[in-house]
Amino acid sequence: MLHVEDLNIEFHDHIIPETVVYDFDLDIESGEIVGLVGESGSGKSMSALAIAGLLNRHDARKKGSIVFEGIDILNCPREILRSVQGDKISMIFQEPMTSLNPVKKIGWQVEEALRIHTDMNKEERKQKALEMLKEVELDDPERIYRSYPHQLSGGMRQRVMIAAAMINSPKLLIADEPTTALDVTVQAQIVSLLKRINKEKGTAILFISHDLSLVRQLCKRVIVMKSGYIVDSGETEEIFSNPKHEYTKNLISSIPQVKLD
Amino acid sequence: MNLRIKKNANSIMGIVLTAIVVIPAIIGIFWTPYDPETINGSLKLAGASWAHPFGCDNFGRDILSRIMLGSSTTFLIGMGTVIGGAVVGTLVGALTGFYGGVIDEVLMRFNDVMLSFPSLLLALTFVAIFGPGKYRVMWALAIAFVPSFARIIRAEFKRVKNMDYVKAARLSGASDFRIMYVHILPNTVKVLINAVLIGFNNAVLAEAGLSFLGIGVQPPDASLGRMLSDSQTYLFTKPSYAIIPGMAIIVMVLGVSMIGKEVE
Ligand SMILES: Nc1ncnc2c1ncn2[C@@H]1O[C@H](COP(=O)(O)OP(=O)(O)O)[C@@H](O)[C@H]1O
Ligand SMILES: [Mg+2]
């Protein structure tokens, strides 16, 4: 479904061009959850933004190919890209405080992709939005629908983001560190919500995190990045029991072990 | 969108002060006690009376009527200037801030040059090109105000366009126009309102300055600046002739800036 080959991302906004992602390869089949881990600054977000078609065309130069369901994301016309975005590919971001528009009501924001991609009327959109808010396990969807972002907690906002991203039942959801800014109990809830969505709707998920233990809970396959390079990739359990790269070993050994005795 | 004016002594005082000048000005557009342009030799520099509460000017014209008309002219010039400047400035600032690139660089360097002149001087240049008169002054001021609006809005668009919620909007398939107009613009309204209020005050002061210099509003039209200019000669014989339009300017500017501080 998604096929990324030899992706290189270079920034040309400084005198010396800077490559932030080297020879990135990734395949995702429909319904699959793939993990992407690595320390911060390793190029995870840049790769994700490129896949979502969000890297500005003149700031960042991209080589290689990203093909999603036969569409060449890097070179297709803007209209084609827009018809895929929000309909077949969606994304949620790390910072729940800045990923919702502060001056718009939640309901309006959740409905945005419907407004653009469907010809539903106002009432139908509202019904669909309320349904989605319920689906992401928010209590009192009617009230949330009428709220502004600042009236919600971080965990609630992240659920709202998931509702907005999932409203058109995309084929691929990119989740860029969706739990990093949340506290541990909320993290676990969001992870199990993503798991449920994947199971019930068959949405493929690219789950980005620097937390290997979360990735282990969620993903069958994982890719490990370090300073722009993929250093390890394969079945999660395989990587855990038999890490090839020194860096992966360090990541695994740095997972805090909770011993209960 | 939730724009409110804080309720406190400052804002109430601001509203009262603004109303003291703006309400008579609005009435003055439609009706004044006397015809503000009728000359009457027998009332020349007449003092205050029941018939003419502020007295009469050097042509025997009723000062109250002229203040009402003059405030409305000044008010409308101020409004026209900020609306024109804000609309064009927002358009330029939005496009350059959003797209960046070469056009942005060129326009903003041009803008920096324009901004390095005080807007009054810039307006003076445009008045020299267009010639005096109330509508031309408005045009000149509006053009002179475009660069500062453009700069403010450009900075806001640059700030907001990198927010995750704009990425999210783009990712929901929104067009550039929709992103700029529906997703970014409402986030700049607070800054825009403040710029408009400050701009209005600057426009009122600029009109007064230009008219005082004799190159703004031309006789027999009345404006607050024009009246100040006409009253110079009689500053010692009839100080109230100068004080009344002067007070009107001060009260309006003070009122608007007090309101501006309390918008959130
Ligand atoms: N505009 C830019 N110009 C040059 N380098 C950039 C730019 N934006 C981000 N980078 C660099 O790209 C690298 C990868 O960033 P990112 O993908 O956000 O990392 P991660 O998401 O893994 O934490 C970082 O080292 C960052 O400094
Ligand atoms: Mg990141």
Side-chain angles (χ1 to χ4, degrees):
Chain A
M1 178 184 70
L2 175 72
H3 180 71
V4 183
E5 205 174 304
D6 276 338
L7 176 67
N8 283 266
I9 302 172
E10 286 171 22
F11 279 95
H12 285 259
D13 52 359
H14 294 93
I15 298 208
I16 301 169
E18 197 179 338
T19 306
V20 297
V21 174
Y22 300 89
D23 307 331
F24 183 90
D25 295 321
L26 169 70
D27 276 286
I28 300 183
E29 296 308 322
S30 38
E32 203 182 10
I33 308 186
V34 176
L36 178 55
V37 290
E39 64 195 356
S40 87
S42 56
K44 306 183 298 294
S45 295
M46 291 300 148
S47 312
L49 290 173
I51 292 168
L54 281 180
L55 271 192
N56 201 318
R57 293 200 166 174
H58 54 245
D59 288 351
R61 214 165 287 171
K62 290 140 294 186
K63 284 186 232 142
S65 74
I66 301 175
V67 179
F68 176 80
E69 299 213 305
I71 295 166
D72 177 358
I73 298 286
L74 291 182
N75 302 306
C76 69
R78 277 289 295 275
E79 293 73 59
I80 306 271
L81 187 60
R82 284 221 313 268
S83 72
V84 176
Q85 291 177 327
D87 197 32
K88 299 210 169 81
I89 300 183
S90 279
M91 184 161 172
I92 54 179
F93 300 92
Q94 172 172 345
E95 204 34 79
M97 290 308 171
T98 58
S99 50
L100 290 169
N101 194 329
V103 303
K104 298 283 186 184
K105 288 189 176 161
I106 298 297
W108 188 91
Q109 303 194 49
V110 172
E111 286 172 8
E112 180 68 347
L114 291 180
R115 229 174 270 120
I116 292 164
H117 294 283
T118 71
D119 43 23
M120 288 186 184
N121 65 33
K122 212 170 164 205
E123 196 47 41
E124 290 167 332
R125 285 200 304 261
K126 179 169 180 185
Q127 284 317 316
K128 178 83 191 173
L130 288 173
E131 197 181 295
M132 284 311 295
L133 290 173
K134 209 166 187 171
E135 199 146 309
V136 295
E137 295 155 17
L138 282 163
D139 297 331
D140 202 355
E142 283 278 357
R143 182 179 61 83
I144 305 240
Y145 185 90
R146 282 180 272 108
S147 304
Y148 284 97
H150 67 88
Q151 296 168 308
L152 308 183
S153 71
M156 290 161 93
R157 286 161 176 241
Q158 205 56 290
R159 286 174 196 274
V160 167
M161 279 304 295
I162 296 174
M166 289 302 302
I167 199 154
N168 272 341
S169 311
K171 297 256 169 65
L172 173 65
L173 175 66
I174 301 172
D176 188 359
E177 311 216 24
T179 62
T180 306
L182 306 174
D183 59 46
V184 183
T185 42
V186 186
Q187 272 186 12
Q189 291 167 4
I190 296 289
V191 166
S192 64
L193 173 62
L194 288 174
K195 211 171 195 166
R196 212 198 74 215
I197 285 174
N198 167 260
K199 211 178 232 156
E200 288 174 5
K201 305 213 161 187
T203 311
I205 299 178
L206 177 60
F207 183 80
I208 302 175
S209 179
H210 58 249
D211 184 342
L212 263 182
S213 59
L214 282 181
V215 170
R216 192 178 196 176
Q217 287 175 41
L218 195 60
C219 316
K220 258 190 78 190
R221 247 171 1 101
V222 66
I223 289 172
V224 183
M225 278 186 96
K226 182 183 192 308
S227 16
Y229 289 97
I230 293 181
V231 294
D232 233 333
S233 77
E235 301 283 315
T236 313
E237 285 315 314
E238 174 69 20
I239 293 221
F240 261 81
S241 54
N242 184 19
K244 289 188 253 347
H245 198 277
E246 199 56 36
Y247 177 67
T248 318
K249 286 181 196 156
N250 291 340
L251 271 184
I252 293 169
S253 62
S254 66
I255 297 175
Q257 301 288 329
V258 184
K259 288 219 171 69
L260 300 170
D261 35 26
Chain B
M1 192 70 264
N2 245 348
L3 214 60
R4 285 184 299 240
I5 298 174
K6 265 189 258 170
K7 185 178 173 184
N8 58 24
N10 230 341
S11 65
I12 292 169
M13 193 68 191
I15 290 169
V16 170
L17 288 180
T18 310
I20 288 175
V21 180
V22 170
I23 290 176
I26 291 171
I27 297 172
I29 299 173
F30 307 103
W31 175 84
T32 49
Y34 296 88
D35 176 11
E37 283 165 23
T38 301
I39 294 172
N40 185 340
S42 62
L43 287 171
K44 193 175 169 192
L45 296 175
S49 64
W50 283 112
H52 301 280
F54 290 165
C56 295
D57 69 5
N58 50 318
F59 292 109
R61 299 175 295 196
D62 179 43
I63 291 184
L64 176 61
S65 301
R66 286 188 68 76
I67 279 285
M68 287 171 73
L69 184 70
S71 308
S72 76
T73 307
T74 299
F75 179 74
L76 292 177
I77 289 176
M79 291 287 280
T81 300
V82 284
I83 291 173
V87 167
V88 179
T90 299
L91 212 63
V92 173
L95 291 171
T96 54
F98 186 77
Y99 286 110
V102 180
I103 298 174
D104 175 40
E105 286 302 321
V106 173
L107 271 175
M108 283 305 127
R109 290 302 81 76
F110 177 69
N111 217 6
D112 288 344
V113 173
M114 297 273 280
L115 279 170
S116 63
F117 298 103
S119 52
L120 189 59
L121 195 64
L122 215 55
L124 215 74
T125 317
F126 289 121
V127 170
I129 298 169
F130 295 154
K134 60 181 175 187
Y135 295 111
R136 294 196 189 126
V137 165
M138 198 167 86
W139 282 112
L141 285 173
I143 295 174
F145 275 46
V146 166
S148 56
F149 278 109
R151 179 143 91 175
I152 292 166
I153 293 302
R154 174 178 175 271
E156 280 292 286
F157 266 68
K158 270 192 122 60
R159 176 181 69 83
V160 176
K161 82 167 177 184
N162 288 318
M163 301 295 242
D164 283 344
Y165 58 80
V166 174
K167 285 196 197 114
R170 163 148 299 162
L171 199 46
S172 52
S175 63
D176 286 357
F177 174 76
R178 186 170 175 82
I179 290 173
M180 285 192 263
Y181 189 65
V182 182
H183 293 269
I184 303 182
L185 191 61
N187 281 286
T188 68
V189 165
K190 197 192 156 206
V191 171
L192 188 60
I193 295 273
N194 269 303
V196 161
L197 293 176
I198 293 169
F200 175 80
N201 278 349
N202 287 339
V204 166
L205 294 173
E207 182 280 316
L210 290 174
S211 299
F212 185 79
L213 294 175
I215 55 174
V217 173
Q218 296 298 303
D221 285 343
S223 81
L224 296 179
R226 183 74 236 165
M227 292 178 75
L228 271 182
S229 171
D230 291 342
S231 67
Q232 294 176 75
T233 331
Y234 311 96
L235 207 51
F236 296 106
T237 45
K238 189 175 167 53
S240 65
Y241 186 10
I243 289 170
I244 291 166
M247 283 303 287
I249 293 173
I250 293 171
V251 167
M252 178 149 66
V253 168
L254 193 65
V256 169
S257 77
M258 285 168 95
I259 296 174
K261 287 210 180 76
E262 307 301 329
V263 177
E264 58 178 22

